[in-house]
Amino acid sequence: AQTVTQSQPEMSVQEAETVTLSCTYDTSENNYYLFWYKQPPSRQMILVIRQEAYKQQNATENRFSVNFQKAAKSFSLKISDSQLGDTAMYFCAFSIHSGTYKYIFGTGTRLKVLA
Amino acid sequence: ETGVTQTPRHLVMGMTNKKSLKCEQHLGHNAMYWYKQSAKKPLELMFVYNFKEQTENNSVPSRFSPECPNSSHLFLHLHTLQPEDSALYLCASSQEPSGTYNEQFFGPGTRLTVL
């Protein structure tokens, strides 16, 4: 079965602090992509960061970085120097190719950044 | 208009009504998707269209009927829905096959309430 598990339904962090959102996944595929998407309140979902499964180096995008552990099938997101605008639902997802690209999402983690 | 747009943004309908959701992407992509987003559940992939051809139907009840007249437009026709169909319906698009990052671009969603 292809699944994504986000074990933290809700989290909060103080502004300027660092927070880590966890994600584990299950797939029998060897080639896939991993993503973190952000869905701010009442706004569109946007891509935060992405990782190719065959790359060992962890992806980084400004204040956002991932800790990708392929053997453990773990893909956590670290947000440094948290800002109020980071308040959102965060979805972990991966995509595989089976005829077309198929995306599997987790249930999301609601992050609240506190002033 | 830029990105992915969806209309209407909010829809309230009775169980005997027939309505349609519309999605349009202005990104030149060739794949489009319908997702259902319910609270505390993973995003559920409903349908995938690649070059106007349906490539995925994720066991969706027949009361949901998709239509993709061209690569830029996607519709979801609704009839005799149930209250449990109330959810946020998201449209997304991507460029397939990209060979690299197959990021999905999401619309703002249609909040559907079935009475």
Side-chain angles (χ1 to χ4, degrees):
Chain A
Q2 323 267 18
T3 58
V4 174
T5 301
Q6 293 181 250
S7 58
Q8 305 150 315
E10 294 185 358
M11 295 187 72
S12 61
V13 62
Q14 288 295 133
E15 198 174 6
E17 297 293 308
T18 295
V19 64
T20 299
L21 279 57
S22 66
C23 171
T24 57
Y25 60 92
D26 188 22
T27 180
S28 55
E29 300 286 328
N30 203 36
N31 295 319
Y32 49 91
Y33 299 102
L34 294 151
F35 306 89
W36 277 97
Y37 282 89
K38 168 185 176 181
Q39 187 178 41
S42 302
R43 294 181 63 185
Q44 282 168 257
M45 186 146 24
I46 57 173
L47 180 69
V48 175
I49 197 166
R50 54 200 167 199
Q51 172 89 38
E52 293 157 307
Y54 64 85
K55 285 189 176 179
Q56 291 186 332
Q57 186 173 5
N58 289 325
T60 300
E61 285 287 340
N62 300 315
R63 298 182 294 106
F64 299 89
S65 61
V66 298
N67 183 1
F68 174 45
Q69 304 289 330
K70 189 171 184 178
K73 294 182 179 175
S74 172
F75 185 61
S76 61
L77 174 70
K78 186 171 84 170
I79 306 174
S80 304
D81 186 25
S82 297
Q83 300 175 359
L84 295 177
D86 296 332
T87 293
M89 277 287 282
Y90 287 82
F91 292 95
C92 178
F94 70 89
S95 72
I96 57 172
H97 193 271
S98 59
T100 188
Y101 281 100
K102 186 173 181 177
Y103 294 78
I104 296 91
F105 284 81
T107 52
T109 294
R110 187 175 302 279
L111 177 67
K112 188 170 185 179
V113 180
L114 307 171
Chain B
E1 293 278 18
T2 58
V4 181
T5 58
Q6 289 186 244
T7 55
R9 295 293 308 276
H10 300 271
L11 178 63
V12 179
M13 59 187 289
M15 290 191 285
T16 57
N17 291 157
K18 288 185 180 181
K19 296 286 184 183
S20 295
L21 310 185
K22 179 183 176 182
C23 174
E24 184 173 1
Q25 58 96 0
H26 309 268
L27 301 167
H29 291 163
N30 53 27
M32 297 187 77
Y33 310 78
W34 278 119
Y35 286 92
K36 177 183 179 183
Q37 184 178 7
S38 305
K40 299 182 180 178
K41 294 176 74 174
L43 254 67
E44 297 175 51
L45 179 65
M46 300 175 72
F47 301 103
V48 180
Y49 277 83
N50 197 349
F51 290 104
K52 302 188 299 178
E53 299 296 320
Q54 188 180 122
T55 57
E56 187 92 18
N57 177 338
N58 208 20
S59 303
V60 180
S62 59
R63 57 186 184 270
F64 295 91
S65 174
E67 179 189 359
C68 188
N70 54 60
S71 294
S72 299
H73 294 86
L74 185 64
F75 295 90
L76 188 62
H77 304 300
L78 317 171
H79 63 98
T80 58
L81 295 190
Q82 305 297 311
E84 60 264 29
D85 296 323
S86 298
L88 183 68
Y89 287 84
L90 295 173
C91 175
S93 71
S94 66
Q95 184 61 27
E96 307 292 355
S98 67
T100 55
Y101 295 112
N102 41 19
E103 173 187 355
Q104 290 197 322
F105 292 80
F106 286 84
T110 295
R111 173 69 63 184
L112 174 67
T113 302
V114 181
L115 302 176

